Amino acid sequence: MTELPPIAPLLVRQVRYHLRLLVRNPRAMTTGVLLPGLLLFLRGSPGHADEVAGAVAGLTALGVGMLGYASFAASLVTARESGVLRRWRASPLPSWCYFTGRITATVVLALAGTAITVAVGVVEFGSPVHDPVGLALVIGLGALAFAALGTAVTRVIATADSAQPVLMFTYLPVLFLSGALGPVNGLPAWVAGLMHRLPPGALVNGMSATLRGGTLPLGDLAVLGAWGIGGLVLACVVFRWDPVPPSARTAKTARVPA
Amino acid sequence: MTAITAIDVRGLTKRFGPVTAVHDVGFQVEAGAVVAVLGQNGAGKTTTIEILEGFQRADGGHVRVLGTDPAQADRRWRSRIGLVLQSTSLDPQVTVLEAVELHAALYPNPRPVDEMLAVVGLTDDADTRIGVLSGGRQRRVDLALGMVGRPDLLFLDEPTTGLDPQARRSLWAAIRELNRSGTTILLTTHYLDEAQQLADRVIVMSEGRVIADATPDQLRARAGGAAVRFPLPPSVSVPPALARHVQDGVLVMRGDVGEALAAIVGWARAQGVDLQGLEVGAPSLEEAYLALTEPDHEQADHG
């Protein structure tokens, strides 16, 4: 019998394929990669170095979340709706390779988007970049956490059309309350504390720390890692491969055969 | 080692809550055959095929596809199966060549990508993004992805729905070519001419059961002998002796062909009716199929 092709080259091909899909996806490229840098460029000088680092971190978190969570989940729903996921499931490619490729490509592009935003910060406002390796670690883990949660959340999204509202309402308020888009005053202490333990808050904090200097933000990395692992486990349990049948879209009833 | 029976289904049952979608279904498909599964929407075709493809679990019965229970499908088994799903399932952002190369790499012994593109007539579209292709061309990409791994068994779910006649014919040619190279094909379709064109055998399902399993010719013969058909021109009146044979504006007479022709020709001469459109022949597969699946042919269970 002829041997099945080895997995490693297939994985590389998957990463390249998903990178290609992302680069050719205007939603991912604009909101996830280019918009944060543009917003930073437009906002004018944030002030002294710490404030610059905060602004860079906040807008980068906006982009990483848009790319890793919102756009990731929306295109996963589209792939499910259009039968693309079913085709992959029917192919000899192990499912984990598909998702590993997809998530890895998202992490790579998130790093590229971060590089652009940070470059704008450095060139325009002289942003500090103290620990680039730590920064990459925070962004990589953050994008992974977002993508894992984005995979899990597709369970409750019925159609591609309903993806944006669900994703925006679960992401933007959290991002806002995390202070990523500017200082938020008068939050109850427990809300502020909670925000530090959610991915956007940990991402902004961890990123600010690596830009400004100081020790590696292990606490924030732990939060992001925990959400990443939790999201992946949840995704494995709840993920649905097939489109939600029209009969089940409004009332969440048992599946009825077509 | 190679199983001579590509698909072996016995006593297959699948329930969705209170609904039994597939009820004690059994059939075999020998390796190398082209078999069409026909039936109305809701007849249980899709559920049956999805169980054979390993997408759904059976509630009961024995299912072997290429000697394996699809519920236990592994990579090796998947590499021997090809799938063309009911609707196109492609990423619009990649080019034809990129998609076919990506899928070819998954299989132990894929067809050369150039050759594959030539077979489905997409050589000139190799560098075109799939999203800008016409529906017919996208369907060819689907077919190429299903065929590129040289599958032993190909599932084709309504492969030509929505295509223009030329596109259908060229897809049929590609499917026949694949079958000649040894691939077993299980096809679902709503087009009886497609079944007639491609299939060695036709399985008709209705209300979750197999109600016929025969060659197209056998099915046609079963629906009665030859018939004379004459689509009536508008505003032509028919004498009572002939009027009882009129269905939906078509005069259809079965039984003795000579007698039927004599009756029609006599009437047409007397009335000066132009007999253009008159046909003599065995019932079409479509007529045979409709006769099988008409409600009054089914056992009444409206209790």
Side-chain angles (χ1 to χ4, degrees):
Chain A
M1 251 193 217
T2 339
E3 285 305 306
L4 286 165
I7 287 286
L10 293 185
L11 256 180
V12 173
R13 277 175 178 275
Q14 280 294 310
V15 174
R16 284 202 340 238
Y17 156 65
H18 286 291
L19 267 175
R20 213 173 256 159
L21 291 182
L22 281 171
V23 169
R24 294 176 188 172
N25 177 340
R27 180 183 55 212
M29 285 308 283
T30 53
T31 62
V33 179
L34 302 173
L35 186 68
L38 179 68
L39 290 178
L40 183 65
F41 176 76
L42 293 176
R43 68 162 285 173
S45 176
H48 63 78
D50 275 7
E51 282 164 351
V52 172
V56 171
L59 286 171
T60 303
L62 171 73
V64 172
M66 284 294 182
L67 178 72
Y69 179 71
S71 188
F72 184 95
S75 47
L76 193 55
V77 171
T78 302
R80 186 181 71 195
E81 291 265 293
S82 63
V84 168
L85 274 191
R86 174 171 275 219
R87 180 191 289 291
W88 281 112
R89 194 182 175 199
S91 84
L93 184 79
S95 306
W96 66 265
C97 289
Y98 178 84
F99 284 98
T100 304
R102 193 172 185 114
I103 292 173
T104 306
T106 300
V107 169
V108 169
L109 204 65
L111 289 169
T114 302
I116 294 173
T117 315
V118 171
V120 172
V122 170
V123 172
E124 283 287 308
F125 312 116
S127 169
V129 186
H130 230 274
D131 179 5
V133 177
L135 174 65
L137 204 60
V138 171
I139 296 299
L141 216 50
L144 174 72
F146 276 129
L149 292 168
T151 308
V153 81
T154 57
R155 173 72 210 197
V156 297
I157 301 174
T159 64
D161 279 341
S162 60
Q164 285 307 321
V166 172
L167 295 167
M168 290 304 134
F169 271 93
T170 51
Y171 175 59
L172 287 181
V174 176
L175 188 73
F176 179 75
L177 290 177
S178 303
L181 306 174
V184 186
N185 298 318
L187 278 186
W190 68 268
V191 177
L194 176 66
M195 288 307 135
H196 285 299
R197 287 171 183 77
L198 295 179
L203 186 62
V204 174
N205 277 341
M207 201 177 152
S208 305
T210 56
L211 289 173
R212 279 197 303 256
T215 54
L216 196 64
L218 291 175
D220 297 318
L221 286 172
V223 168
L224 293 174
W227 279 105
I229 292 166
L232 285 177
V233 171
L234 185 65
C236 289
V237 175
V238 303
F239 191 72
R240 83 180 294 149
W241 287 91
D242 290 317
V244 179
S247 56
R249 272 174 202 165
T250 41
K252 288 204 168 50
T253 49
R255 233 186 113 178
V256 179
Chain B
M1 279 295 284
T2 313
I4 303 161
T5 305
I7 300 177
D8 185 12
V9 180
R10 282 175 230 173
L12 175 64
T13 299
K14 176 73 183 177
R15 285 178 285 272
F16 295 96
V19 183
T20 302
V22 177
H23 196 287
D24 192 24
V25 160
F27 60 87
Q28 279 74 41
V29 175
E30 60 277 29
V34 181
V35 173
V37 181
L38 307 179
Q40 289 153 314
N41 292 326
K45 298 188 306 269
T46 302
T47 305
T48 302
I49 304 285
E50 288 190 349
I51 291 169
L52 299 182
E53 293 168 342
F55 289 142
Q56 293 200 32
R57 298 285 171 103
D59 289 325
H62 167 99
V63 179
R64 289 290 178 276
V65 176
L66 301 177
T68 300
D69 178 357
Q72 319 285 324
D74 61 0
R75 244 186 112 197
R76 167 73 61 189
W77 184 82
R78 288 265 171 231
S79 75
R80 298 177 60 200
I81 303 279
L83 234 76
V84 175
L85 302 170
Q86 203 170 92
S87 55
T88 50
S89 43
L90 305 161
D91 291 300
Q93 306 96 324
V94 295
T95 69
V96 172
L97 183 66
E98 287 166 350
V100 177
E101 274 182 343
L102 186 67
H103 281 81
L106 304 173
Y107 296 90
N109 180 28
R111 293 171 76 134
V113 171
D114 291 351
E115 177 193 311
M116 192 67 250
L117 292 180
V119 166
V120 294
L122 286 174
T123 305
D124 293 341
D125 295 304
D127 295 320
T128 308
R129 288 199 191 175
I130 289 168
V132 302
L133 292 176
S134 68
R137 289 187 177 261
Q138 293 193 356
R139 209 63 185 131
R140 294 183 200 200
V141 180
D142 271 323
L143 200 64
L145 299 189
M147 289 165 52
V148 73
R150 297 184 204 274
D152 293 329
L153 170 64
L154 179 65
F155 291 100
L156 288 172
D157 203 354
E158 300 185 15
T160 66
T161 297
L163 298 192
D164 64 53
Q166 280 80 14
R168 296 181 70 205
R169 264 154 226 284
S170 74
L171 273 191
W172 288 347
I175 292 166
R176 284 200 200 94
E177 193 268 354
L178 184 72
N179 178 243
R180 268 197 299 275
S181 68
T183 299
T184 309
I185 293 173
L186 189 71
L187 157 89
T188 70
T189 181
H190 286 299
Y191 297 121
L192 283 295
D193 61 330
E194 185 158 282
Q196 177 84 56
Q197 284 284 334
L198 294 175
D200 309 319
R201 225 173 85 218
V202 173
I203 293 170
V204 183
M205 290 187 70
S206 178
E207 299 191 339
R209 296 166 198 267
V210 172
I211 58 169
D213 181 347
T215 67
D217 290 342
Q218 283 168 343
L219 277 187
R220 293 169 63 190
R222 216 179 279 175
V228 179
R229 279 182 217 84
F230 177 54
L232 292 171
S235 69
V236 164
S237 63
V238 184
L242 294 180
R244 61 195 176 88
H245 297 294
V246 175
Q247 304 165 356
D248 302 327
V250 182
L251 181 62
V252 181
M253 295 180 72
R254 299 187 194 283
D256 190 311
V257 173
E259 253 172 47
L261 278 178
I264 294 174
V265 170
W267 158 73
R269 280 217 174 131
Q271 301 291 316
V273 175
D274 181 3
L275 279 179
Q276 217 167 351
L278 182 85
E279 284 180 359
V280 182
S284 68
L285 186 58
E286 183 144 344
E287 286 168 326
Y289 168 77
L290 290 175
L292 270 170
T293 53
E294 261 167 20
D296 52 337
H297 282 256
E298 285 166 14
Q299 292 179 346
D301 61 349
H302 301 290

